[in-house]
Every structure is written in structure tokens, then in C-alpha cells.
Amino acid sequence: MNREHVLPTPEDTHALGRSLAGVLQAGDLVVLVGPLGAGKTALTQGIGAGLGVREPVTSPTFVIARVHNGGRVPLVHVDVGHPAQSVTVVEWGQGLVERLADEHLEVRLDRREDDVRTAVLVPHGPGWERRLTATQ
């Protein structure tokens, strides 16, 4: 699988997500990095479509976690499902979630001034290196 992608339309971003879904396995962690509007949710929607997710995939911006105040310190409760039995895609997680899995795929998304998105796939770990190389 190519590691650098130019994504002129949202459909291209979805198509990259669907392609990534073909190499994803239970327990995988995908960390999406990029500014607002770079295509993180669109990529995740493509991943969902490629995995056969039936319900709408929407931005997790407002449902990332619950904060419980009133104790000695606030309790932040984050539900990431069952990481070993699912694919976990995290937006805005760089530097925070990489330890959830021994290996992970980082997808660096950006939005150029001409409104075209780009994506660079960065494997972290030999398993991801092999999978991306095998799909080229």
C-alpha cells in the first residue's frame, strides 16, 4: 500500500479508509494526526464502510469521555471498547494513546491551501511495516 496519498475529494479519503480496512485486524490501533478539517472523520467513515459498519460513523468530538467531578480529583472515564477484539481509531491521540497497543499505524492527514487533503501512513512496529509492504 502506498504510504503517501493525495486526496482531492472526500470520496478519495473514504476510498483510502476502505483500503486501510482491508489490512486492519482485531486489536489494531490507528492514530489519526492532523489539523481540524484534514479528513480524520472522513477517513474513519471509509474504514467503517470497509469493515462493514452499518450505523453512521460520526465525529467523536463531543463523546470522547465523561468527566466525573466532586471527588478528590476529577475522574475521566474513556470507553475504548475492547481493544483486543476491535479496531480502535483515535483522533487527536498522538502522544497519548500509543501505549494501548504494542504496534500501531499513524495516519498523518493534512489539508493544503487548495483544499486538497493528503495522508501519509507511518507504521510503528514490524507487523505494520510488513502489512503495508505486502499490500503494495
Side-chain angles (χ1 to χ4, degrees):
M1 177 177 292
N2 290 333
R3 296 196 185 185
E4 295 187 28
H5 302 266
V6 177
L7 309 165
T9 68
E11 291 77 20
D12 295 316
T13 305
H14 281 238
L16 175 59
R18 284 190 301 275
S19 178
L20 274 175
V23 299
L24 291 173
Q25 302 170 1
D28 281 347
L29 173 64
V30 179
V31 180
L32 305 182
V33 179
L36 190 64
K40 293 179 295 296
T41 299
L43 182 77
T44 305
Q45 289 168 336
I47 290 171
L51 292 174
V53 173
R54 291 190 175 113
E55 66 263 9
V57 174
T58 60
S59 175
T61 301
F62 300 106
V63 294
I64 294 172
R66 292 199 183 274
V67 179
H68 302 277
N69 292 304
R72 186 173 50 81
V73 295
L75 168 65
V76 179
H77 181 196
V78 180
D79 185 354
V80 296
H82 303 282
Q85 300 170 12
S86 62
V87 171
T88 303
V89 178
V90 180
E91 296 186 19
W92 308 100
Q94 184 180 28
L96 302 171
V97 299
E98 292 85 353
R99 288 183 250 153
L100 290 174
D102 292 336
E103 300 184 8
H104 69 281
L105 177 65
E106 181 179 318
V107 181
R108 295 181 186 163
L109 294 148
D110 204 359
R111 181 174 163 182
R112 300 186 325 204
E113 288 183 21
D114 62 0
D115 209 31
V116 170
R117 274 68 171 177
T118 60
V120 177
L121 308 181
V122 182
H124 291 270
W128 270 110
E129 191 72 46
R130 281 190 300 277
R131 278 198 263 173
L132 292 183
T133 301
T135 58
Q136 288 186 356

